[in-house]
């Protein structure tokens, strides 16, 4: 295994002398006498059965709460059916297995001075969040493209289905947590193929350090500080951080994550780090692993923006955060070829993951591969903008409509052609829709019926003009 970390020459002696198992100290700082410690350590996998979501003419009801509709509402009944399924909490589901393996690793590798797990776990927080939680709390600018209505599921202008589990980061740090893992379902409007689905699952971790916790293992560490005044932002650090602190934090972050992925993939794993950009961390990195001959990106991470930490009431500390996709890990580790399979209730799929030991190796044995059927659809796009000033058509609008109408029968949607009429300037798109049932053979009659419904819905709901 190769681990590449850039360090300053003055820091090399003590970085090289640090043990591979970083001696973390207990970090939950304010355990109340009335059971606060128990609350922070509690695993939240048990929850009442989800109440069905309802979309009415004036409101959307999710998890028993009603949200008024407005011009931003774009969540669909098909998506709301997934809220509360919590695949990551269903025993012996492949996503549950991945989550439990990550939990087990952190529980065994990072223990406080009293023998309790250093990291708490939170895996049943509601996916309904405010726009402020999802974007503003993470310092995502108002004009950032990730906020687009076409890329997210909005209940209204102020409320949405979370696009990432990081939407809860600030509230958990504000509650007094210094080290935690967070897992949950997230929602994004996206393309349709074997590796993309509008609902998927993330797991992330956060670790905060005080001055003593970070420098306690460094010779003359009492003379070092997390922060410096009058500093400036560089590619290596934020303006308020000392370079020594950032390099130590980067070392701890990369060491922690390298140990995690080698636990999942095996000790012979080859790892490399790529510099990248996220609005809520700096510096930021992506980890890639060499798997089956190719480099695969498995997670993003970085030093938390100090403004975010300060806003959560932990301004005297410095921290790191990481996030990974559970489906991506499960598809690779268990050789699951199609992301739709995670939502299957076919016992031939589920029984393969009923293991006596979560660490037991398992390779998914494909169900009978039923033949695909495909149909093309071509239409003229509506011209101009909508009354609200938004684009009158986006590709994600069409993908979402196909998902809502065709459901799990749709395996893939591919944009085959874009055409602009040379005289009128009108634009048209042509898509190929591939249909394949996961559990039986489809007939052409069934597919034609669904395809006609998609054509009709596209014209009535998206304002396109068919070219069929």
């Amino acid at each position: 295994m190769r681990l590449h970390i850039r360090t300053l020459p003055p820091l090399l002696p003590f970085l090289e002398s640090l043990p591979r198992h970083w001696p973390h100290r207990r970090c939950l700082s304010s355990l109340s006498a009335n059971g606060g410690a128990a609350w922070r350590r509690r695993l939240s996998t048990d929850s009442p059965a989800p109440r069905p979501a309802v979309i009415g003419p004036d409101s959307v009801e999710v998890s028993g709460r009603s949200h008024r509709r407005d011009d931003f509402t774009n969540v669909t009944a098909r998506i709301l059916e997934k809220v509360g399924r919590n695949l990551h909490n269903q025993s012996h589901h492949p996503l549950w297995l991945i989550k439990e393996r990550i939990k087990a690793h952190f529980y065994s590798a990072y223990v406080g001075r009293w023998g309790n797990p250093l990291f708490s776990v939170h895996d049943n927080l509601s996916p309904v969040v405010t726009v402020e939680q999802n974007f503003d709390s993470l310092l995502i600018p108002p004009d950032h493209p990730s906020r687009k209505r076409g890329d997210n599921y909005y209940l209204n202008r102020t409320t949405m289905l979370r696009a990432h589990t990081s939407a809860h980061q600030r509230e958990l740090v504000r509650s007094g947590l210094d080290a935690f893992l967070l897992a949950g379902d997230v929602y994004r409007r996206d393309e349709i193929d074997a590796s993309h689905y509008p609902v998927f699952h993330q797991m992330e971790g956060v670790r905060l350090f005080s001055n003593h916790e970070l420098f306690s293992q460094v010779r003359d560490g009492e003379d070092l500080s997390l922060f410096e005044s009058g500093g400036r932002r560089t590619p290596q650090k934020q303006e308020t951080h000392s370079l020594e602190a950032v390099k130590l934090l980067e070392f701890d972050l990369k060491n922690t994550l390298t140990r995690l992925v080698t636990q999942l993939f095996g000790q012979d794993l080859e790892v490399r780090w790529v510099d990248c950009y996220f609005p809520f961390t700096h510096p930021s990195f992506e980890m890639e692993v060499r798997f089956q001959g190719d480099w695969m990106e498995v997670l993003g991470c970085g030093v938390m923006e100090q403004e975010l930490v300060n806003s959560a009431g932990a301004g005297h500390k410095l921290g790191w955060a990481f996030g990974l996709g559970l489906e991506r890990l499960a598809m690779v580790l268990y050789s699951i070829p199609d992301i739709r399979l995670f939502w299957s209730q076919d016992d031939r799929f589920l029984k393969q993951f009923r293991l006596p030991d979560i660490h037991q190796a398992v390779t998914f044995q494909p169900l009978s591969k039923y033949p695909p059927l495909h149909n093309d659809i071509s239409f003229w796009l509506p011209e101009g903008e909508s009354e609200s000033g938004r684009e009158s058509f986006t590709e994600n609008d069409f993908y979402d409509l196909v998902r809502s109408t065709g459901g799990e029968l749709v395996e893939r949607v591919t944009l085959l052609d874009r055409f602009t009429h040379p005289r009128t300037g009108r634009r048209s798109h042509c898509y190929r829709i591939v249909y394949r049932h996961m559990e039986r053979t489809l007939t052409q009659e069934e597919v034609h019926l669904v395809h006609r419904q998609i054509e009709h819905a596209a014209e009535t709901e998206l304002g396109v003009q068919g070219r069929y």
Side-chain angles (χ1 to χ4, degrees), residues 230-243:
R232 62 187 181 89
R233 180 172 289 245
T234 70
Q236 287 75 40
K237 64 181 257 336
Q238 298 171 39
E239 49 269 40
T240 60
H241 295 165
S242 71
L243 191 55

Side-chain angles (χ1 to χ4, degrees), residues 124-138:
N124 203 24
L125 298 176
S126 171
V128 178
V129 299
T130 65
V131 171
E132 196 275 339
Q133 283 177 289
N134 198 80
F135 296 118
D136 299 290
S137 75
L138 296 166

Side-chain angles (χ1 to χ4, degrees), residues 225-229 231-233 236-246 249 282-283 303-307 309-310 315 317-319:
S225 174
L226 299 178
F227 307 104
E228 66 178 17
S229 58
R232 62 187 181 89
R233 180 172 289 245
Q236 287 75 40
K237 64 181 257 336
Q238 298 171 39
E239 49 269 40
T240 60
H241 295 165
S242 71
L243 191 55
E244 294 85 0
V246 171
L249 200 71
H282 180 79
V303 177
M304 295 172 68
E305 283 285 352
Q306 196 60 35
E307 183 181 344
V309 179
N310 293 348
K317 296 184 177 181
L318 187 146

Side-chain angles (χ1 to χ4, degrees), residues 23 33 84 206 219 225 255 333 413:
V206 168
R219 187 172 57 197
S225 174
N255 184 36
L333 289 173
V413 178

Side-chain angles (χ1 to χ4, degrees), residues 341-356:
L341 279 165
F342 292 108
W343 296 91
S344 173
Q345 299 185 54
D346 189 330
D347 195 58
R348 292 175 299 168
F349 171 73
L350 296 174
K351 70 181 181 181
Q352 298 186 42
F353 302 96
R354 296 185 188 127
L355 308 175

Side-chain angles (χ1 to χ4, degrees), residues 210-435:
S210 67
N211 209 86
H212 174 72
E213 288 166 339
L214 189 61
F215 294 119
S216 61
Q217 301 300 311
V218 177
R219 187 172 57 197
D220 300 324
E222 62 275 6
D223 298 327
L224 300 174
S225 174
L226 299 178
F227 307 104
E228 66 178 17
S229 58
R232 62 187 181 89
R233 180 172 289 245
T234 70
Q236 287 75 40
K237 64 181 257 336
Q238 298 171 39
E239 49 269 40
T240 60
H241 295 165
S242 71
L243 191 55
E244 294 85 0
V246 171
K247 286 303 176 183
L248 268 179
L249 200 71
E250 179 183 329
F251 176 84
D252 182 74
L253 170 62
K254 291 180 175 179
N255 184 36
T256 298
L257 294 176
T258 300
R259 295 180 67 204
L260 170 64
V261 296
T262 53
Q263 174 69 24
L264 295 174
F265 288 88
Q267 292 299 319
D268 295 330
L269 186 69
E270 190 176 358
V271 172
R272 73 180 182 185
W273 297 94
V274 178
D275 293 338
C276 62
Y277 167 78
F278 301 118
F280 31 83
T281 55
H282 180 79
S284 303
F285 315 97
E286 287 180 344
M287 173 192 275
E288 296 182 349
V289 299
R290 191 83 167 175
F291 189 79
Q292 295 181 346
D294 294 318
W295 286 106
M296 180 184 71
E297 183 263 315
V298 293
L299 58 84
C301 62
V303 177
M304 295 172 68
E305 283 285 352
Q306 196 60 35
E307 183 181 344
L308 191 161
V309 179
N310 293 348
S311 71
H316 61 295
K317 296 184 177 181
L318 187 146
W320 54 245
F322 73 86
L324 52 83
L326 294 179
E327 275 88 349
R328 167 162 289 196
L329 288 179
M331 291 178 79
V332 172
L333 289 173
Y334 302 138
S335 300
I336 296 174
D338 193 314
I339 196 169
R340 291 179 299 161
L341 279 165
F342 292 108
W343 296 91
S344 173
Q345 299 185 54
D346 189 330
D347 195 58
R348 292 175 299 168
F349 171 73
L350 296 174
K351 70 181 181 181
Q352 298 186 42
F353 302 96
R354 296 185 188 127
L355 308 175
D357 179 359
I358 61 173
H359 299 289
Q360 180 178 325
V362 58
T363 299
F364 169 66
Q365 299 302 313
L367 311 180
S368 298
K369 191 67 171 179
Y370 299 101
L373 296 171
H374 73 263
N375 282 259
D376 295 346
I377 179 172
S378 179
F379 46 74
W380 294 107
L381 305 188
E383 299 181 65
E385 296 181 338
S386 65
E387 293 180 1
S388 60
R390 295 190 297 268
E391 286 184 84
S392 56
F393 176 89
T394 69
E395 289 182 30
N396 279 346
D397 290 337
F398 180 66
Y399 296 145
D400 214 40
L401 180 142
V402 172
R403 289 190 191 279
S404 295
T405 307
E408 303 304 308
L409 297 184
V410 178
E411 178 178 79
R412 185 172 65 254
V413 178
T414 305
L415 178 61
L416 294 181
D417 181 60
R418 302 173 189 261
F419 171 73
T420 300
H421 195 284
R423 183 172 56 83
T424 65
R426 294 188 70 186
R427 297 176 298 140
S428 76
H429 284 185
C430 179
Y431 295 88
R432 172 157 295 172
I433 304 176
V434 177
Y435 300 87

Side-chain angles (χ1 to χ4, degrees), residues 38 69 95 123 131 139 142 149 163 183 187 214 242 250 282 295 357 367 384 444 448 451 455 466:
R69 295 185 62 157
L95 299 181
D123 55 14
V131 171
L139 312 178
R149 182 176 179 270
Y187 300 77
L214 189 61
S242 71
E250 179 183 329
H282 180 79
W295 286 106
D357 179 359
L367 311 180
Q444 194 63 256
H448 278 153
H451 198 72
E455 290 175 341

